[in-house]
Amino acid sequence: MNIFYLGKKTLRGNYLSFNDSNNEEIKKVQDSFDLNRLEAILALSRVEGIDKLGNIHKFLNDRISAYMQNVTLIDFEKALERIYIALEKKEKICILGDYDVDGITSTVMWMDFFRAYGIEVEYRIPNRSDGYGHDPDVLKSIDCSLFLILDCGSSQDFYGIQKNTANNSKKDICIIDHHQTANDPNVYAFVNPNRADSDIRTQEEYKNLCTAGLCFIFIYKISEMIEERKKVRQNISPKVFMDLVALGTIGDCMKLSGLNRAYVRYGLQIVSLTKRIGLRSLIDNLGLGNIAAGDVAFYICPCINAAGRIHSSGLAVDLLFTKDSVEAERLSKSLISLNTKRKEMEKKALDEALVKVYKEIHKEIKFMDINNNLEPDKQRDSEEEKIPERDDANNEPNVDSKQKSDNESQSVVIVRDKDWHPGLVGIIAGRIKEKENVPVFVFYKIGNEWKGSARSVKGCNIGAVIHESVLNGLATSGGGHDMAGGVAVNDEKFSEWKNWINQKIHKMNLVPEKIINIDAFLNLNGLNMTNVSKITPFGMGNPYPKIILSNVLMLSVMERGNHIMISVKDEKYKRTFWMFNSKEIAKDILENRYYDLILSLSEKKNHNVIDILKR
């Protein structure tokens, strides 16, 4: 690393770290895998262990079929055989899904599959206003012999639901989920790679899969069983579900390595060529072309999620399932409209939440840009959101955040309001987390219970923290992943729960990351020639490459709303870039001065500046 960068801060207050690969190592990877230099650098940074070449080969060449052999998921064989029997006997099946993209795509996959074999199937998905999961008592009144509970159910108890009072028939429940839990839901089969009683050595390959990814394994293996046992061709190929698997995996922010990378890499091709009339209509109405992971994450998934957030999850299911082009057009436009409305509602609630946070933590209301730490692609689905200056002296907010002085760091933010919309608290938590860079809980109230969403940072497994609070009798229910979760707390227990959470996370001594990891240096000509397609798709676990355009001359700086459009040149070339949600630093960027630009590279080459360093 050039000594020039040691200890230097960018205009946004970040420090820079640099890839430490040596030229000999880079050249060896280039020659071994036919990569360009930047692709080789990125490949080296994506793998760990002594056998880097072997791990890079696996990273670049993972095949879905390789993961479909010798499945070691607990209860997998039991659930697989039960579903096969239901197919054989033409049993009526009920699917109980979740309201997010993962739950919706999982539900549609099974509906498509069962109907292809002439099975009578019905589904139920709650809206976020209904709360997480399904009421076990409701299952008693549903006339089905097999229930598939998808992307939820792990934290519930279905004990005693074995008989249908109407006809005394047996009910079997199979849960397919991936949320962390220490709970035993008391069901026929419980397939969850993150269940507490699992052996991590046998579940390692599956622990980062979302429910859609797990469901695909089931459908793949059942399809094999049909061919082997019946000696007939499959009625529907598992490959047709790869578009849904890609949506679910990206929408649930799963780590894009191993099987997930294979899922998404192949699935994006299917999305671009999708024969699902509803999905095609949504893509066309959003104005998207060839689909990249960023398009799914920041355009398609928010529209699908908007249905369950502020309306009915059934709209999204209908969109992905419809065979009617007129209906597809109506549904896709409805979802886009709902997402626009969701953003408007989110802005209002976010303003209120941030006012509460800053009055308590910073003891002042600031005119804040809540998006200025987001990745460029994340900003596409964001409005220009600011905290307006306002006088709340006569309206004391209900704030549960620890006070932060100039000499005291904030360990966790906990904020609640009884009137916030259930479909927005997760988004608000994410926005505050990006700004404060600490774990965040945001709550709304139903009856005597506070229900909240959590978003976390590296080093704090928020799902595990929530589970521990449930086991300690402080929360009534909850679960989640490393980086996100949900929790319910009785009103009379809230203060005790809050104090426990504050102490628990404070003891972790989390160090906020203000570091941008730089992969390479390029000039403008090199940037124009850059191709990193062999390393895509980018996302969680495979971050967008960060490069430095070194020592470029600033020709112009123009504010466009909350964004900046800058034009620069080096010795030979000129180029214009966008820097999103950066109005607050525009005054610090001077024309006819030299700077280093930090860029985030995208699959579609619409690269954006994310930070600037003075020369």
Side-chain angles (χ1 to χ4, degrees):
M1 181 188 77
N2 190 316
I3 195 169
F4 168 78
Y5 296 100
L6 287 175
K8 290 285 183 69
K9 266 190 176 184
T10 66
L11 294 186
R12 282 182 161 172
N14 294 304
Y15 294 97
L16 305 180
S17 68
F18 294 84
N19 192 302
D20 60 357
S21 300
N22 61 62
N23 286 328
E24 182 179 342
E25 193 175 36
I26 293 168
K27 185 66 167 61
K28 189 173 183 179
V29 172
Q30 282 185 262
D31 294 341
S32 298
F33 301 103
D34 191 26
L35 304 177
N36 62 46
R37 180 177 174 82
L38 181 55
E39 287 176 328
I41 291 171
L42 295 174
L44 280 165
S45 70
R46 266 56 174 174
V47 300
E48 299 175 348
I50 298 174
D51 184 16
K52 287 194 173 183
L53 288 181
N55 290 333
I56 288 174
H57 181 272
K58 192 171 186 295
F59 174 81
L60 295 174
N61 298 286
D62 263 333
R63 296 285 186 270
I64 293 172
S65 58
Y67 292 88
M68 299 296 120
Q69 313 305 318
N70 302 316
V71 179
T72 58
L73 285 160
I74 297 174
D75 276 1
F76 177 81
E77 293 295 335
K78 186 177 182 181
L80 187 70
E81 191 65 35
R82 180 63 185 88
I83 296 169
Y84 181 82
I85 290 171
L87 282 172
E88 282 279 275
K89 295 184 176 181
K90 301 289 184 182
E91 296 179 40
K92 184 179 179 182
I93 298 172
C94 182
I95 299 170
L96 304 176
D98 190 28
Y99 41 58
D100 66 0
V101 175
D102 187 22
I104 288 169
T105 52
S106 299
T107 299
V108 174
M109 284 170 62
W110 279 113
M111 287 175 60
D112 267 345
F113 180 79
F114 287 135
R115 290 184 180 180
Y117 287 95
I119 303 298
E120 185 180 358
V121 58
E122 64 177 83
Y123 82 91
R124 299 192 181 189
I125 295 180
N127 301 314
R128 289 181 190 255
S129 57
D130 300 323
Y132 179 69
H134 296 265
D135 183 353
D137 288 336
V138 172
L139 276 66
K140 296 177 182 178
S141 63
I142 300 175
D143 184 20
C144 289
S145 55
L146 176 62
F147 292 83
L148 296 187
I149 301 181
L150 309 177
D151 201 37
C152 55
S154 291
S155 60
Q156 295 181 269
D157 188 355
F158 296 91
Y159 178 78
I161 304 177
Q162 299 295 325
K163 298 286 185 179
N164 184 324
T165 54
N167 56 20
N168 204 37
S169 62
K170 189 174 185 296
K171 292 177 180 289
D172 287 328
I173 301 170
C174 297
I175 291 177
I176 305 174
D177 191 17
H178 67 122
H179 294 91
Q180 295 172 356
T181 183
N183 181 56
D184 178 2
N186 291 299
V187 293
Y188 179 84
F190 179 31
V191 180
N192 183 336
N194 292 300
R195 51 187 281 181
D197 61 345
S198 64
D199 183 343
I200 192 170
R201 293 169 297 181
T202 64
Q203 309 300 292
E204 186 69 25
E205 288 187 349
Y206 314 105
K207 68 178 184 179
N208 289 317
L209 297 183
C210 66
T211 300
L214 294 169
C215 288
F216 181 84
I217 299 176
F218 272 96
I219 289 174
Y220 187 99
K221 299 301 286 186
I222 289 176
S223 298
E224 280 189 342
M225 291 169 67
I226 290 170
E227 286 193 338
E228 291 170 1
R229 296 184 183 183
K230 291 191 169 186
K231 308 299 181 185
V232 297
R233 291 176 61 86
Q234 303 162 359
N235 287 11
I236 187 169
S237 169
K239 292 181 180 179
V240 305
F241 300 115
M242 288 310 307
D243 54 351
L244 298 178
V245 178
L247 295 187
T249 301
I250 295 171
D252 235 32
C253 297
M254 307 312 294
K255 186 177 180 181
L256 298 187
S257 61
L259 180 54
N260 278 338
R261 175 175 160 77
Y263 274 159
V264 173
R265 192 169 175 83
Y266 182 73
L268 287 174
Q269 300 175 37
I270 306 301
V271 173
S272 294
L273 302 172
T274 186
K275 294 182 179 179
R276 294 183 191 278
I277 296 174
L279 182 55
R280 170 51 54 197
S281 178
L282 182 61
I283 290 170
D284 291 344
N285 282 320
L286 287 170
L288 305 175
N290 193 45
I291 302 299
D295 297 322
V296 173
F298 309 118
Y299 291 105
I300 296 173
C301 286
C303 290
I304 294 174
N305 269 328
R309 288 191 187 281
I310 62 174
H311 196 270
S312 169
S313 303
L315 288 177
V317 175
D318 291 344
L319 175 87
L320 296 175
F321 200 69
T322 186
K323 305 296 188 290
D324 183 276
S325 58
V326 175
E327 180 73 354
E329 185 74 3
R330 182 188 70 80
L331 289 168
S332 65
K333 288 181 177 179
S334 293
L335 290 180
I336 292 171
S337 177
L338 283 172
N339 193 45
T340 300
K341 182 179 179 182
R342 184 271 304 170
K343 287 189 281 188
E344 293 169 353
M345 295 170 63
E346 175 194 328
K347 183 182 186 304
K348 180 178 181 295
L350 184 63
D351 283 349
E352 294 171 356
L354 285 172
V355 165
K356 293 184 177 188
V357 171
Y358 280 93
K359 281 190 73 174
E360 179 67 15
I361 298 174
H362 302 292
K363 295 302 181 185
E364 61 179 324
I365 305 299
K366 295 184 178 181
F367 194 63
M368 299 297 299
D369 167 19
I370 61 92
N371 281 318
N372 65 6
N373 289 326
L374 295 182
E375 290 289 322
D377 281 310
K378 292 182 183 177
Q379 297 156 357
R380 296 176 190 166
D381 194 45
S382 304
E383 299 293 331
E384 296 172 21
E385 293 149 327
K386 297 276 191 178
I387 300 181
E389 297 196 42
R390 62 179 83 180
D391 180 8
D392 286 333
N394 297 319
N395 183 21
E396 284 298 314
N398 184 6
V399 179
D400 295 291
S401 306
K402 290 173 61 184
Q403 180 178 339
K404 179 167 78 174
S405 67
D406 291 339
N407 299 316
E408 181 184 10
S409 62
Q410 177 72 12
S411 299
V412 59
V413 169
I414 302 171
V415 62
R416 55 179 174 158
D417 189 298
K418 63 183 179 64
D419 295 323
W420 281 337
H421 195 288
L424 301 180
V425 290
I427 297 175
I428 295 169
R431 298 285 194 253
I432 298 174
K433 186 264 293 188
E434 294 292 345
K435 189 65 187 175
E436 289 298 306
N437 207 18
V438 296
V440 176
F441 290 85
V442 178
F443 287 88
Y444 66 97
K445 195 175 186 183
I446 294 183
N448 194 44
E449 193 170 54
W450 291 96
K451 294 194 173 185
S453 284
R455 297 295 182 269
S456 194
V457 296
K458 186 177 180 180
C460 176
N461 184 330
I462 205 68
V465 171
I466 290 171
H467 278 304
E468 190 173 345
S469 76
V470 174
L471 292 175
N472 287 342
L474 300 172
T476 55
S477 63
H481 320 292
D482 289 0
M483 304 300 286
V487 63
V489 185
N490 283 333
D491 191 38
E492 60 271 17
K493 282 276 190 179
F494 197 89
S495 293
E496 185 181 356
W497 174 87
K498 175 196 68 175
N499 291 334
W500 183 88
I501 288 288
N502 274 324
Q503 293 172 18
K504 179 74 177 178
I505 295 179
H506 182 71
K507 290 177 182 177
M508 294 179 181
N509 294 317
L510 300 173
V511 179
E513 290 189 348
K514 293 286 288 182
I515 298 173
I516 300 176
N517 297 308
I518 302 299
D519 293 297
F521 289 80
L522 291 176
N523 57 27
L524 284 173
N525 183 50
L527 181 66
N528 293 334
M529 302 289 290
T530 294
N531 182 352
V532 291
S533 61
K534 292 181 180 178
I535 310 300
T536 60
F538 298 124
M540 290 292 291
N542 187 25
Y544 289 86
K546 307 298 188 298
I547 65 100
I548 285 181
L549 286 180
S550 183
N551 206 29
V552 294
L553 181 65
M554 189 66 60
L555 298 178
S556 65
V557 182
M558 292 178 283
E559 294 183 23
R560 293 288 185 269
N562 194 39
H563 314 306
I564 302 172
M565 186 169 69
I566 59 177
S567 293
V568 298
K569 75 170 185 176
D570 60 12
E571 294 178 352
K572 293 184 178 180
Y573 298 94
K574 296 180 182 179
R575 184 155 173 175
T576 298
F577 297 97
W578 283 98
M579 190 172 183
F580 292 108
N581 298 296
S582 303
K583 182 179 179 180
E584 78 283 354
I585 65 169
K587 64 182 183 301
D588 299 319
I589 307 171
L590 305 178
E591 295 178 358
N592 297 314
R593 293 279 298 271
Y594 284 90
Y595 294 91
D596 285 356
L597 304 186
I598 297 99
L599 270 64
S600 178
L601 305 187
S602 78
E603 299 103 318
K604 292 189 170 182
K605 297 196 173 184
N606 52 336
H607 316 308
N608 301 308
V609 176
I610 60 171
D611 213 335
I612 295 178
L613 184 68
K614 293 179 181 178
R615 292 297 297 184

